[in-house]
Amino acid sequence: MSAQLSARVALVTGASQGIGRAVALALAADGVKLALAARQKDKLDALAAEIAAAGGEALPLAVDVTQDAELKAAVQQAQKHFGSLDILVNNAGITRDQLALRMKREDWDAVLATNLTAAFVAIQAVLPGMVRQRWGRIVNIASVVAESGNPGQANYVAAKAGLIGLTKSLALEVASRQITVNAVAPGYIATAMTANLGEKAGERLLEHIPLGRIGTAEEVAAAVRFLAGESASYITGQTLDVNGGLYLR
Ligand code: NDP
């Protein structure tokens, strides 16, 4: 176990599966105590048990991140339980794909609420504690499409591009308090979100990925683990691409 993160506490949203789950496990391996937030409490309970069995500590919290009161209460509960909250990983996300011309307003709103507004609400809730203690790490999970654009995903791309803008502005606002704010932009990663791509679309996609394969949740988690740690102390306002070379800025 690395000593560098051993005293820290992290809140990971969307920790019930996929990338969020892998992030929680990666941070736990560094000795970070975890507050696990998502709607599927049974999955969070199972993950918390897995972390505890490996000698770590995790608090499962049933939260719908689009409900401000639930999200704020989860932050407070985590702070009360562990005594502080040092790392926030805004990972919860959904897609509601459709061409912009046909997109329903409710699908625009749902994607913006989950992928962007919830991150802002969580940030506002954790910041006072981080400012007081003069240390904090915020990592926002964006997407390669925030940089490239993607037809059929105007809502998702707008939310993820917004998250990168939020990352930069916030980084400048809180740098003097030794709080860093960064984004990780995954390419195509094997999770439930990409499971329904279909064989043909999957094959077409692979042709555009220089590393020749879809990525894993663990490969994204490794980037988050780095940015959340002491060794990334001079990195802020950045977006770290984890995309197999799919898009080069
Ligand atoms: P999954 O669909 O596997 O996981 C999404 C997670 O978000 C789940 O844990 C889900 O938990 C949680 N979530 C969704 N809505 C809510 C909500 N209202 N309240 C609380 N939690 C919520 O997808 P991924 O692991 O792939 O996605 C994780 C992040 O990575 C997302 O932000 C996604 O946009 C991003 N990303 C993924 C890529 C990929 O290729 N897979 C590429 C680029 C970015 P629950 O259902 O239990 O609430």
Side-chain angles (χ1 to χ4, degrees):
M1 186 187 294
S2 142
Q4 62 164 355
L5 290 178
S6 55
R8 304 295 184 194
V9 179
L11 172 71
V12 180
T13 68
S16 58
Q17 61 187 44
I19 292 169
R21 184 179 193 282
V23 165
L25 286 168
L27 293 177
D30 271 339
V32 174
K33 296 168 188 167
L34 268 308
L36 309 168
R39 292 165 302 182
Q40 300 177 82
K41 180 70 166 33
D42 51 336
K43 288 191 179 178
L44 296 181
D45 288 342
L47 177 58
E50 192 178 329
I51 289 171
E57 239 185 282
L59 176 69
L61 297 165
V63 179
D64 179 341
V65 296
T66 64
Q67 303 303 308
D68 291 12
E70 283 183 33
L71 188 48
K72 287 180 192 169
V75 167
Q76 278 172 5
Q77 227 179 313
Q79 282 166 334
K80 198 166 165 215
H81 183 85
F82 292 115
S84 70
L85 222 175
D86 314 295
I87 301 164
L88 169 67
V89 183
N90 283 310
N91 164 80
I94 56 166
T95 53
R96 294 273 192 280
D97 297 352
Q98 181 55 273
L99 293 173
L101 198 58
R102 294 196 204 122
M103 188 175 285
K104 293 200 184 91
R105 171 64 192 259
E106 66 201 62
D107 288 336
W108 171 271
D109 288 343
V111 168
L112 268 289
T114 307
N115 297 34
L116 180 58
T117 308
F120 171 70
V121 172
I123 285 165
Q124 272 202 326
V126 302
L127 264 186
M130 289 182 179
V131 165
R132 262 197 308 276
Q133 68 188 22
R134 296 284 193 275
W135 198 97
R137 294 278 188 275
I138 297 172
V139 183
N140 297 317
I141 306 300
S143 168
V144 62
V145 299
E147 297 158 332
S148 66
N150 203 21
Q153 288 200 309
N155 49 0
Y156 184 77
V157 171
K160 294 300 192 181
L163 207 45
I164 291 177
L166 171 63
T167 299
K168 290 180 184 176
S169 293
L170 187 68
L172 296 174
E173 287 185 16
V174 299
S176 65
R177 301 297 191 268
Q178 307 309 314
I179 301 165
T180 69
V181 189
N182 292 288
V184 169
Y188 286 88
I189 309 299
T191 68
M193 189 173 274
T194 49
N196 298 325
L197 262 183
E199 207 172 311
K200 274 231 169 78
E203 276 169 24
R204 266 203 311 276
L205 195 62
L206 282 185
E207 287 170 19
H208 297 284
I209 302 175
L211 281 177
R213 62 175 177 82
I214 196 162
T216 67
E218 289 71 24
E219 287 171 317
V220 179
V224 177
R225 181 185 188 172
F226 166 63
L227 290 171
E230 295 292 349
S231 49
S233 47
Y234 204 54
I235 301 174
T236 197
Q238 303 300 314
T239 299
L240 180 49
D241 295 340
V242 183
N243 64 25
L246 173 62
Y247 182 81
L248 304 181
R249 277 182 288 152

